[in-house]
Amino acid sequence: DAGVTQSPTHLIKTRGQQVTLRCSPKSGHDTVSWYQQALGQGPQFIFQYYEEEERQRGNFPDRFSGHQFPNYSSELNVNALLLGDSALYLCASSLSVVSGGNEQFFGPGTRLTVL
Amino acid sequence: DAKTTQPPSMDCAEGRAANLPCNHSTISGNEYVYWYRQIHSQGPQYIIHGLKNNETNEMASLIITEDRKSSTLILPHATLRDTAVYYCIVKLRGSARQLTFGSGTQLTVLP
């Protein structure tokens, strides 16, 4: 049973560029959440997708956007990259509340470096 | 969601029990206590959760005080692979709720 997968594992971009990160949820999961983890800090919630819609959003600017596809996979897009966007980006999947979901399962993350 | 307080770091000898405390004095009646851990450069891993009764699974035990204002995660026989940052999180049950991570406790298991 494949767990949560993310691609790419590492990425280097320059300031002002745009980046797209991808996530495939654990088999059977329909909800995907994205987190940003700066070095030495705990993960910070960006947003959550369910039924192809953004359901919750953390305190992140509009430069951060996402998408969920009919197969439940998801993308995180970041525009106009800043040096401060350098972080580990984590995807977590879960079953929706209506499906009896509870705990979230995390992928290995994508390490983004902005130069 | 209620905030939690954890010691920044702890050491434990290999083979001994590791007891990780968490303070959540503002927890409300319908909030659960969740524990996750994060081994260096990996994604967080779910360990256990509970409401008010003690819980045990194959990874750990969770002891919640009667007033629910604090809890302890117990790793009964710590190994070197248990070295990680451990996060105590309080939230309402259900995956719709985001996880709010604090700074966690860096547990180092010593040989």
Side-chain angles (χ1 to χ4, degrees):
Chain A
D1 176 26
V4 180
T5 60
Q6 294 185 243
S7 63
T9 54
H10 295 83
L11 203 51
I12 299 175
K13 292 286 188 178
T14 56
R15 281 178 296 174
Q17 284 189 312
Q18 177 264 344
V19 69
T20 297
L21 310 181
R22 295 176 176 81
C23 171
S24 291
K26 184 176 168 65
S27 178
H29 284 184
D30 56 10
T31 301
V32 173
S33 302
W34 286 92
Y35 293 79
Q36 179 196 65
Q37 186 173 25
L39 201 60
Q41 299 181 19
Q44 300 297 307
F45 175 75
I46 303 175
F47 43 53
Q48 183 181 81
Y49 277 84
Y50 169 64
E51 291 188 329
E52 303 179 47
E53 289 188 15
E54 182 182 296
R55 301 292 179 166
Q56 288 186 81
R57 189 178 183 93
N59 189 25
F60 280 81
D62 292 344
R63 298 187 298 108
F64 290 77
S65 63
H67 188 77
Q68 186 179 35
F69 299 93
N71 67 352
Y72 307 124
S73 67
S74 176
E75 287 182 350
L76 164 65
N77 300 293
V78 187
N79 293 323
L81 284 168
L82 304 174
L83 296 179
D85 295 331
S86 294
L88 180 67
Y89 288 84
L90 296 160
C91 169
S93 77
S94 55
L95 278 173
S96 62
V97 175
V98 294
S99 300
N102 193 18
E103 65 265 24
Q104 297 183 20
F105 293 82
F106 284 81
T110 293
R111 173 71 64 186
L112 172 66
T113 302
V114 182
L115 302 176
Chain B
D1 295 334
K3 291 187 177 179
T4 61
T5 303
Q6 299 176 252
S9 64
M10 293 182 63
D11 291 341
C12 175
E14 188 177 18
R16 305 295 294 269
N19 297 282
L20 293 95
C22 180
N23 226 306
H24 32 79
S25 58
T26 60
I27 191 171
S28 62
N30 55 354
E31 286 182 315
Y32 284 68
V33 180
Y34 287 77
W35 284 84
Y36 281 76
R37 74 179 183 183
Q38 187 173 24
I39 296 170
H40 184 63
S41 294
Q42 297 182 21
Q45 176 190 23
Y46 165 81
I47 302 173
I48 198 168
H49 74 279
L51 181 62
K52 54 183 176 181
N53 298 319
N54 297 339
E55 302 288 343
T56 296
N57 62 20
E58 64 279 3
M59 289 184 66
S61 294
L62 174 60
I63 308 298
I64 302 174
T65 58
E66 194 168 341
D67 63 7
R68 303 209 323 121
K69 293 184 177 182
S70 65
S71 61
T72 301
L73 178 74
I74 301 172
L75 308 179
H77 306 287
T79 70
L80 299 180
R81 287 175 294 181
D82 292 321
T83 293
V85 178
Y86 287 77
Y87 295 99
C88 168
I89 298 168
V90 172
K91 78 173 188 75
L92 295 172
R93 184 177 173 88
S95 63
R97 301 290 296 185
Q98 69 201 58
L99 295 171
T100 302
F101 290 83
S103 300
T105 295
Q106 171 66 59
L107 174 69
T108 303
V109 181
L110 304 170

